[in-house]
Amino acid sequence: MDTTLVTPAPVAARGSTALRQLYLARFTFAAVWAVLLFTSARTLSPLSVTLLVVYPLFDVGCALIDARATKPQGGPARALYANIALSALATAGLAAAAASGIPAVLRVWGLWAITAGLVQLIVGVLRRGMTGQWPMIVSGALSTLAGGSFIAQAGKDNASLSALAGYALLGGIFFLLSAFRLRRTTTQ
């Protein structure tokens, strides 16, 4: 009988693999979500309201997975738990804002984009020693800026949700870039 000793991958490599898979899932979700929202961006229909509520809920799930996958590395768990709380609040806020119209939704989304962007920026900086985090740092900074623009857009005539679709797609692209960068480190 042949016995082979299998040694587990280093914790950092396992964390990178888990993050890569999570980032690919986030890209896929964001791309599909953006297309669906863009098709219904002019009004608050049952589809668009459902999409608006599902997006931060998905973020809650992703942050939980991220925190669990990277906890053995001493990852930025506190910031991820703050993101979970912010996204849960955003879910409730968006559900309530949908009853008041698109401008209210844009204000809530904008506030969430600012705060979640700051958290993403902090997490990226805390993980800066890990390859693949520069897109997360840039994405967090851009999210913070975009949040302000959503709040400003809420005060204009003909406010639309279409900018949120572009925001989600761009964020997904940054996750894809990070996944590719993480792939390079786990295959080298």
Side-chain angles (χ1 to χ4, degrees):
M1 177 154 82
D2 213 8
T3 307
T4 306
L5 180 61
V6 177
T7 58
V11 174
R14 285 195 308 258
S16 292
T17 300
L19 280 180
R20 186 180 77 243
Q21 293 170 347
L22 178 63
Y23 290 174
L24 288 172
R26 290 190 77 143
F27 164 73
T28 303
F29 176 83
V32 170
W33 185 91
V35 168
L36 290 173
L37 184 68
F38 192 73
T39 63
S40 63
R42 291 269 176 232
T43 63
L44 284 172
S45 65
L47 173 62
S48 62
V49 171
T50 301
L51 290 168
L52 290 168
V53 172
V54 166
Y55 196 95
L57 280 177
F58 184 78
D59 195 56
V60 167
C62 289
L64 282 169
I65 292 167
D66 189 341
R68 287 184 185 146
T70 59
K71 196 171 190 175
Q73 299 175 158
R78 284 187 197 155
L80 291 169
Y81 292 128
N83 186 55
I84 291 166
L86 289 168
S87 294
L89 287 171
T91 300
L94 288 165
S100 298
I102 290 176
V105 167
L106 289 171
R107 286 182 189 98
V108 171
W109 192 283
L111 183 58
W112 178 49
I114 291 168
T115 57
L118 288 172
V119 169
Q120 185 178 20
L121 179 62
I122 291 166
V123 169
V125 168
L126 291 173
R127 288 180 174 161
R128 69 186 174 278
M130 177 187 286
T131 301
Q133 293 307 298
W134 71 263
M136 295 296 91
I137 293 169
V138 172
S139 179
L142 289 175
S143 179
T144 302
L145 295 173
S149 74
F150 298 143
I151 293 169
Q153 184 183 4
K156 296 182 179 177
D157 293 337
N158 298 324
S160 167
L161 302 173
S162 60
L164 302 183
Y167 166 81
L169 184 59
L170 182 60
I173 290 169
F174 279 112
F175 278 112
L176 183 63
L177 290 172
S178 282
F180 283 142
R181 299 272 305 161
L182 285 168
R183 182 176 183 272
R184 288 181 46 200
T185 61
T186 58
T187 58
Q188 291 178 350

